[in-house]
Amino acid sequence: HVKCDEPPGSCQNCGSTGRICDGYVHGLPVRGQSFIKALASASISADVGNGFRWVMTSDERRCFSFFQHHTVPTFLEFFESSLWQNLVLQMSQSDPAVFHAAVALSAIHQDTEAKGMPLAAEIPFEPENTLLLFARDQLGRAFNLLTRRHASHDPTLRNVTLLCCLLFVLSDLLWGHYDSALNHLQSGLRILQELQADRELVAPTARERGIERCLVAAFAH
């Protein structure tokens, strides 16, 4: 009667008590041995679930675990930055729009690992592809959350939007939606220009300066 904690591959609650976990059936495809090995060698080990202020579905939890332990280390290989080492995980746990964008990127990343990255500019959508349907839903949730906050005076909204924009770009690139990726990139650059103009009037705090430098470097890369 040990409750399954639903990580990728096998249940840690079983393993911690010496039991053999046979895995579990879920709405999203369970990864194979290559995925489990990737988790074992991952350098980032933050616990999923610490700091979240909202309830996650089990599919979201599993995809975010993949994002932590596999997507983030993969991007660190290409671009070593505090954005991937710290910022994206911290903001994913504090802002639901970033969380859903990260979960969507994770699902698309899992799909490309199974099939490879598409090369054509126009990729027909596969209505039976569970991972991509899930990713599309998560991207919609992230976008809707940002849209509802558009008129607010939340001082963190611009950095949240920039980080979501970056995650949208990467999701589009992995998905083969190159025109959409370029549009999101251009939107992010426009927001950075607005930020630069504002900073000529109002100096950022030390924390804001660190976050903004991190985001600028990521967009430049």
Side-chain angles (χ1 to χ4, degrees):
H1 299 289
V2 176
K3 178 176 173 57
C4 181
D5 57 359
E6 297 182 346
S10 62
C11 177
Q12 294 175 4
N13 285 342
C14 289
S16 63
T17 55
R19 295 175 173 84
I20 297 175
C21 181
D22 295 324
Y24 55 92
V25 178
H26 222 284
L28 294 181
V30 176
R31 306 298 292 183
Q33 289 299 316
S34 60
F35 170 62
I36 297 170
K37 291 177 182 177
L39 287 182
S41 62
S43 60
I44 295 177
S45 58
D47 291 332
V48 178
N50 294 338
F52 290 101
R53 302 190 308 274
W54 57 88
V55 177
M56 293 180 285
T57 68
S58 53
D59 286 341
E60 288 171 346
R61 179 181 294 275
R62 188 157 65 85
C63 274
F64 190 75
S65 181
F66 185 95
F67 180 79
Q68 279 187 293
H69 298 291
H70 198 56
T71 302
V72 168
T74 296
F75 281 111
L76 274 170
E77 293 177 4
F78 295 100
F79 180 46
E80 187 172 350
S81 163
S82 59
L83 181 140
W84 292 111
Q85 292 168 332
N86 300 303
L87 181 63
V88 72
L89 293 175
Q90 292 171 356
M91 291 183 69
S92 293
Q93 295 195 47
S94 64
D95 192 280
V98 178
F99 169 78
H100 288 296
V103 168
L105 176 58
S106 168
I108 296 170
H109 184 201
Q110 292 179 64
D111 187 71
T112 59
E113 281 211 331
K115 302 176 182 177
M117 284 186 62
L119 299 178
E122 293 295 332
I123 307 298
F125 185 76
E126 304 173 46
E128 74 283 358
N129 189 318
T130 308
L131 275 170
L132 294 187
L133 283 170
F134 178 74
R136 188 167 65 174
D137 174 72
Q138 293 293 307
L139 289 170
R141 289 171 184 266
F143 186 80
N144 288 337
L145 286 166
L146 293 175
T147 301
R148 289 203 296 266
R149 293 165 62 186
H150 180 69
S152 74
H153 299 287
D154 183 352
T156 68
L157 180 58
R158 182 150 43 193
N159 287 338
V160 165
T161 304
L162 282 168
L163 184 51
C164 284
C165 196
L166 184 65
L167 295 172
F168 293 160
V169 169
L170 294 170
S171 295
D172 285 329
L173 289 175
L174 288 181
W175 209 337
H177 296 169
Y178 305 121
D179 289 341
S180 180
L182 180 59
N183 289 336
H184 282 128
L185 179 60
Q186 290 172 335
S187 297
L189 294 176
R190 283 195 296 271
I191 297 172
L192 286 174
Q193 289 175 341
E194 295 171 3
L195 178 62
Q196 183 180 21
D198 286 351
R199 288 308 177 218
E200 294 176 1
L201 301 174
V202 181
T205 65
R207 185 175 186 277
E208 288 173 337
R209 186 182 296 109
I211 292 174
E212 289 164 10
R213 285 178 178 173
C214 184
L215 288 167
V216 168
F219 271 95
H221 183 80

